[in-house]
Amino acid sequence: DVKVTQSSRYLVKRTGEKVFLECVQDMDHENMFWYRQDPGLGLRLIYFSYDVKMKEKGDIPEGYSVSREKKERFSLILESASTNQTSMYLCASSLPGEGTDTQYFGPGTRLTVL
Amino acid sequence: SQKIEQNSEALNIQEGKTATLTCNYTNYSPAYLQWYRQDPGRGPVFLLLIRENEKEKRKERLKVTFDTTLKQSLFHITASQPADSATYLCALVGGYSTLTFGKGTMLLVSP
C-alpha cells in the first residue's frame, strides 16, 4: 500500500513566521503535489513536482515555495505566514505512466496562523 | 476556462437506498475521470476511474457512468449504509498528470 505521511496533523504559527510542511511518500512516485483545501473552495493546487529538483506552479502559488531534494520528500514553505494561509494542507503523490494518474493523499496538516 | 461542477448541497438519503451523485464539466475533453471519497479531517481516497471509451464501471456497491456527450459522470452507491456518509469528489486530469477536483458533494446516510 502507498503511504504518504505529513509531518504534523495540527500546527499553530504566528503571522510572519517561516513555516515548513513536510511530506514523505514510500512508493517511489515521481509526481508529488501540494494542495490547500478551504470550505466552499475545494482542493486547490499550490505546487507540484514531477522529478527531483523540479517544480511547477499550480493555481495558487503566491506566498508559497517548495523544495524537492529527494524523490520521496516534498516540502511546502510559507516564507512569511499570513492569516489568510490558515487552511488544511494536503500532500499527494502519483506514478506517471500507469495511465491513471491516481493520486494518493496524506492525512493533511491543519495550519492555523494567528 | 475548464470547470467542474458538483452539487454543493448535501444529499440526505435513508439506509438501503441508492445514492446518485453528479459531476458535470465544461471545456474539457478528458481521457478519464476519477472519483474520490473524503472523510472529515482526512485526505481524499481514490475509489474508481472510468475511461472515455467506457460507459459504465462497477466496484462492489459502487457504479460510475461517463457520458462524454453530456459531459457528465454519475456516481451511484447502491444499498447505502451510514458508513458511506462522506464527501465525494470527482476529478479530471490536466497537464503534467495534475488533477482538477470538483468541490465535492456531501452524502449523509441515515439509519
Side-chain angles (χ1 to χ4, degrees):
Chain A
D1 271 358
V2 178
K3 193 161 183 186
V4 180
T5 56
Q6 295 184 227
S7 49
S8 306
R9 288 302 310 275
Y10 300 94
L11 207 53
V12 180
K13 295 292 182 181
R14 297 226 173 259
T15 301
E17 279 193 78
K18 191 168 186 176
V19 182
F20 292 87
L21 302 182
E22 302 282 333
C23 176
V24 178
Q25 51 94 4
D26 67 356
M27 283 302 291
D28 205 34
H29 283 177
E30 273 82 6
N31 295 343
M32 295 188 75
F33 308 84
W34 274 107
Y35 297 88
R36 64 179 283 177
Q37 188 173 33
D38 301 286
L41 296 177
L43 276 164
R44 292 180 292 168
L45 182 63
I46 304 172
Y47 266 98
F48 63 99
S49 168
Y50 53 88
D51 202 352
V52 175
K53 297 194 186 295
M54 305 302 289
K55 61 184 179 185
E56 293 287 338
K57 293 179 181 178
D59 299 317
I60 51 162
E62 296 78 20
Y64 303 94
S65 62
V66 290
S67 172
R68 191 155 180 213
E69 296 296 321
K70 292 186 178 181
K71 190 175 187 180
E72 67 271 17
R73 189 179 298 267
F74 192 33
S75 302
L76 180 70
I77 303 153
L78 287 65
E79 296 290 343
S80 178
S82 62
T83 54
N84 63 13
Q85 293 179 309
T86 292
S87 186
M88 169 70 103
Y89 289 87
L90 289 157
C91 173
S93 71
S94 72
L95 185 64
E98 63 171 358
T100 66
D101 299 304
T102 301
Q103 291 191 7
Y104 300 87
F105 284 83
T109 295
R110 187 164 293 282
L111 172 67
T112 302
V113 183
L114 301 175
Chain B
S1 61
Q2 298 169 334
K3 202 171 178 183
I4 302 174
E5 287 185 355
Q6 293 186 256
N7 195 338
S8 58
E9 289 184 16
L11 178 64
N12 287 275
I13 63 168
Q14 269 199 310
E15 183 174 8
K17 301 291 186 183
T18 295
T20 298
L21 307 176
T22 304
C23 175
N24 294 298
Y25 60 92
T26 55
N27 299 322
Y28 266 110
S29 294
Y32 45 86
L33 182 147
Q34 302 184 14
W35 283 90
Y36 289 74
R37 168 185 172 139
Q38 186 174 23
D39 292 288
R42 303 279 182 181
V45 175
F46 170 75
L47 294 174
L48 275 172
L49 175 146
I50 185 164
R51 300 182 190 278
E52 60 179 338
N53 60 352
E54 297 173 318
K55 296 294 183 191
E56 184 180 295
K57 196 86 168 274
R58 290 176 186 261
K59 180 183 176 183
E60 297 173 354
R61 294 184 295 110
L62 308 181
K63 184 179 87 171
V64 172
T65 62
F66 193 13
D67 189 325
T68 55
T69 302
L70 289 178
K71 295 187 181 294
Q72 181 181 80
S73 176
L74 299 178
F75 177 83
H76 307 271
I77 305 176
T78 57
S80 59
Q81 304 166 1
D84 295 326
S85 297
T87 296
Y88 292 87
L89 308 168
C90 67
L92 295 171
V93 67
Y96 287 105
S97 299
T98 62
L99 293 177
T100 299
F101 288 84
K103 293 178 183 176
T105 299
M106 184 183 294
L107 172 66
L108 298 168
V109 182
S110 51

